[in-house]
Structure formats: C-alpha cells, structure tokens
Amino acid sequence: LYRSAPSGVSPVVRLLCRVIKLAWLEGPQFQNVTERVGQFLQSSPLHWVLGLEIYTDLTTDMQPSIGPSMSRFRRTALSFRDTALPPIFTIGMQTLQQVATGQITIGDKTEERRLMKQVLRLCCNCLSFDFMGTIPDETSDEQSTVMVPHSWNMLRDEGIPKLFFDLFSRSCTAQWPECAQLCLQCLVLLAALRRSFFQKEEDRTKLLASMMQGTTGVLAAKMGLQDTQCYHELCRLLGKINATHQLNELCASEQFQVWIEQVYSFSMDSLRHWEVMPNSKHYLLGFWAAMVSPVILLQDKAPKALEAYIQQITLAYIESRLFMAEASADPNNTADWDDPLQDEVLRAEQLDVLSNLGRCRYQETAQEIL
C-alpha cells in the first residue's frame, strides 16, 4: 500500500500520532513509541521511511498549540521533549550520517529520495520543536533562538553543518530540490542555536567557521540557487549567521574575508535582478544594515572593505527601487510583486532599511544620489 498509494497511508499515520498524543499522559505504556517504531527501522527501506514518517508526524503533532486542552497538551509536549524527542533526533541524525557516508545504499533512486526527504523533515521538526512551550507566532518563518536541551551534545560537533552542506550538494546534483531546501532549513536552525548551549566558546567558533566555509562554497558555485526556495533559504541562512554573531566574532574567523566577498557579490547580483524573489532580499538588506552600527563603532578596527561594500549595496538598493517604481508605473507591466508605493507597511520597512544603510559614508552616498 505504501508503495502504490502513499497518500492512503498518511491519514492513518496522522490518526496514530493523534491517538498517541491523547493517551501520552495516561501512563508509560503509551510512551514507548520509540521501541515500537524501532522495529520499522530494522526492516526494508519502505518500512524505514514509514517509521520516519511516524516520527515526523509525531514531532509535528506534539508541538504545543493554542486551543482546547491547551494546558494538558503543553504538559504532553514537555514530557515528550524530555523522553522521546532526544532518541528520535539521534535516530534522524544517525540516519543522515549513514546516508552521507554510503552505509545506507538503496538501488531505487525514488526510494532513496523519499528516505532522504523524510529524514531531513524529521531533523528539521526536531530542531524547530517548541522546547520551552511558549507557542511562538506561526505567521513568521523566523525562529529567533533554538533552545535545544543542553544534553544534545552531537550538535556541538563542527562536522554537523558540513554534513548538511554535503547533503545539500548531493541533493542539488541529484536534482532533488525539496531535499536541498530542507538541508538549508536545518542549517538556518543550527545557526540559531542559543549561545549558552555551547560549553566552550571554541565550539561555537568552530561551528561558525563551518557555516562560513559551507555558505562560501554554495555562493561560489551558485549551487541550487536557480531554485527559488533554495535561494530564499540561503538568504535566511546568511541573515541568521549575521544576526547571531557580533561583527568582531565574524571578523575573527579565518574564513571571513573570502566569505564576505562572496556575500557582497551575491547581494549585488541579487539587487541587479530586483524583480526575482523580491521578498527574500530583505534578509540580505538586513544583513548589511545590521553591520552599519558595528562598523561605525569599531572605526579603524573594522575591515576596510566593509564600508565600501555597504555603500555600494546602498546605491544598488536605491537604484533597484527606482527601477521598481518605473516598472510599477508602466500600465503594460504584468509582473507579480508587492508594490511598495501602494503598501504603507512595506514602504515603511524599506525606508527603515535605507535609513540604516545610509548612515555609512552618508555624505559620499548622498553625493552619488544627487
């Protein structure tokens, strides 16, 4: 049934997960889900995928939410977080490592793709779990800080980002865009790990270096960027790396010079093609806008090229807005984007970004505009 009609299995899996959730607090006999599902992971690839799908749907359904029985479900979620979620995440990460190292080989590429997608979705669900039970705003795709438990030691390994970058490259080569997107989503969550999670600052520094090296490689090869969702997730990743680290931490990395050059080149190219994925570019603009204050504060201690980069980004952004205004005024234009001239909130956001960017080399930028 799972091979011929997978859509028929999914509702059964969701029903099973809901029953487990409702019965979770009734006793430990209803909490041995990892033992039961573990039997699927010791059978055929399709059984493996089915077991991973159960875990994926369970981690989704266990998220605390607003509604009836909210208090009970929050207690359920926190109990699940402490007992079942750690081994489930470990299983997901071990499966990814086995796929990456070739320990798991599946002759059928369709089944391999299905397995890869399912385990990546599972890891993404685990990392984005509401660990504190705060029920964050679901209208935003941003999670400010990932509050993983201190005991998830494997995430302190500097090889974890490389694992996801390698799988991203593999997915792009195999033309599995949905897998490539999930790899980048997991990397965004890794970049948002809380600072206090790292026992040593050295571990955090190594993770940053691995992130920089991976994104530099993606940008240099323009890997997967023809896919709009991968482009969007990469913009999010760059913005998250910058948001979770201070400028002096970024500059201290050996990768910084090559990395910032690639980010600058990517940002300029994106602004030249302003009509492509316009809603993703605010992550890039936020990246450069957030650097303005540290650059001004550090003065001579800041990298010399940063001021020039920020000024060029500012001018390119202004030019792109002029092109957008011209296109918006053209009655024959059929492009689909949110016109900031008609949207007060969007217009205010863009002017706010511009006011930050313009503080760097203010007089020179003003002269260029005039």
Side-chain angles (χ1 to χ4, degrees):
L1 177 62
Y2 196 59
R3 179 180 281 108
S4 58
S7 59
V9 176
S10 296
V12 179
V13 171
R14 286 196 294 272
L15 175 61
L16 170 64
C17 293
R18 181 53 56 91
V19 170
I20 293 173
K21 178 180 180 178
L22 294 172
W24 188 267
L25 295 179
E26 299 301 321
Q29 69 271 26
F30 300 106
Q31 300 176 9
N32 60 350
V33 60
T34 52
E35 297 175 17
R36 299 291 184 87
V37 178
Q39 299 174 26
F40 286 86
L41 306 181
Q42 298 171 6
S43 191
S44 69
L46 276 181
H47 284 87
W48 202 327
V49 173
L50 180 57
L52 292 172
E53 183 173 342
I54 293 172
Y55 280 153
T56 303
D57 278 20
L58 188 60
T59 52
T60 300
D61 206 28
M62 282 291 187
Q63 290 273 23
S65 58
I66 297 174
S69 304
M70 176 178 166
S71 177
R72 176 184 174 83
F73 287 154
R74 186 175 183 274
R75 293 199 309 275
T76 299
L78 296 179
S79 172
F80 176 78
R81 176 201 66 186
D82 295 335
T83 57
L85 190 60
I88 288 174
F89 180 64
T90 301
I91 289 169
M93 291 301 300
Q94 288 175 345
T95 304
L96 280 181
Q97 290 169 336
Q98 289 171 346
V99 169
T101 56
Q103 296 178 41
I104 296 178
T105 54
I106 302 175
D108 189 332
K109 288 297 180 183
T110 301
E111 290 187 8
E112 182 183 356
R113 180 177 186 172
R114 188 182 294 179
L115 173 64
M116 177 92 83
K117 179 181 177 182
Q118 200 62 59
V119 71
L120 284 168
R121 280 188 59 205
L122 173 60
C123 290
C124 191
N125 275 10
C126 291
L127 288 170
S128 59
F129 194 81
D130 183 8
F131 296 100
M132 305 303 291
T134 54
I135 313 178
D137 182 10
E138 295 182 353
T139 61
S140 172
D141 61 357
E142 286 307 292
Q143 187 169 353
S144 57
T145 305
V146 175
M147 304 295 291
V148 295
H150 208 69
S151 59
W152 289 26
N153 294 318
M154 68 172 64
L155 293 180
R156 297 187 182 93
D157 185 351
E158 61 182 302
I160 294 299
K162 185 179 184 302
L163 170 66
F164 283 103
F165 280 116
D166 288 345
L167 291 171
F168 172 75
S169 175
R170 179 173 175 172
S171 299
C172 291
T173 302
Q175 297 186 339
W176 298 342
E178 70 283 4
C179 294
Q181 294 159 19
L182 287 166
C183 287
L184 291 177
Q185 287 175 19
C186 289
L187 285 164
V188 171
L189 292 165
L190 288 174
L193 288 175
R194 59 189 172 97
R195 182 182 288 265
S196 59
F197 172 73
F198 298 93
Q199 296 173 323
K200 302 177 183 177
E201 191 62 30
E202 179 186 356
D203 293 336
R204 189 166 179 269
T205 302
K206 288 180 179 178
L207 184 75
L208 172 61
S210 186
M211 285 283 185
M212 282 184 163
Q213 186 174 4
T215 48
T216 299
V218 172
L219 291 170
K222 300 188 185 302
M223 192 186 305
L225 298 185
Q226 67 277 8
D227 180 82
T228 55
Q229 199 57 38
C230 284
Y231 174 93
H232 177 76
E233 294 300 335
L234 182 62
C235 291
R236 286 184 62 211
L237 177 57
L238 292 172
K240 185 60 69 177
I241 292 172
N242 187 48
T244 53
H245 294 85
Q246 298 177 4
L247 179 58
N248 60 337
E249 293 174 323
L250 297 173
C251 295
S253 173
E254 295 178 0
Q255 306 285 335
F256 179 75
Q257 191 58 46
V258 178
W259 179 72
I260 201 67
E261 288 174 2
Q262 289 293 338
V263 175
Y264 169 70
S265 177
F266 175 62
S267 301
M268 290 295 287
D269 189 56
S270 296
L271 290 172
R272 291 188 195 102
H273 300 89
W274 55 269
E275 70 281 3
V276 179
M277 296 292 289
N279 294 332
S280 301
K281 292 183 175 58
H282 77 270
Y283 294 108
L284 295 177
L285 293 167
F287 176 100
W288 294 103
M291 284 198 170
V292 173
S293 291
V295 166
I296 294 174
L297 184 65
L298 293 174
Q299 295 182 351
D300 295 338
K301 295 180 181 179
K304 300 297 182 185
L306 272 183
E307 279 195 28
Y309 286 166
I310 294 171
Q311 183 191 17
Q312 292 304 311
I313 291 290
T314 306
L315 293 173
Y317 179 54
I318 293 171
E319 188 176 12
S320 73
R321 297 309 90 186
L322 293 173
F323 281 130
M324 176 177 276
E326 184 178 352
S328 298
D330 184 357
N332 298 318
N333 183 59
T334 58
D336 181 24
W337 65 67
D338 295 326
D339 185 355
L341 298 178
Q342 304 294 330
D343 188 328
E344 184 176 347
V345 174
L346 186 60
R347 185 168 64 249
E349 288 177 354
Q350 298 195 359
L351 288 173
D352 185 52
V353 169
L354 183 58
S355 68
N356 279 325
L357 290 171
R359 292 169 56 211
C360 186
R361 293 191 176 181
Y362 179 82
Q363 292 182 340
E364 295 175 33
T365 303
Q367 190 62 37
E368 288 279 354
I369 296 172
L370 295 175

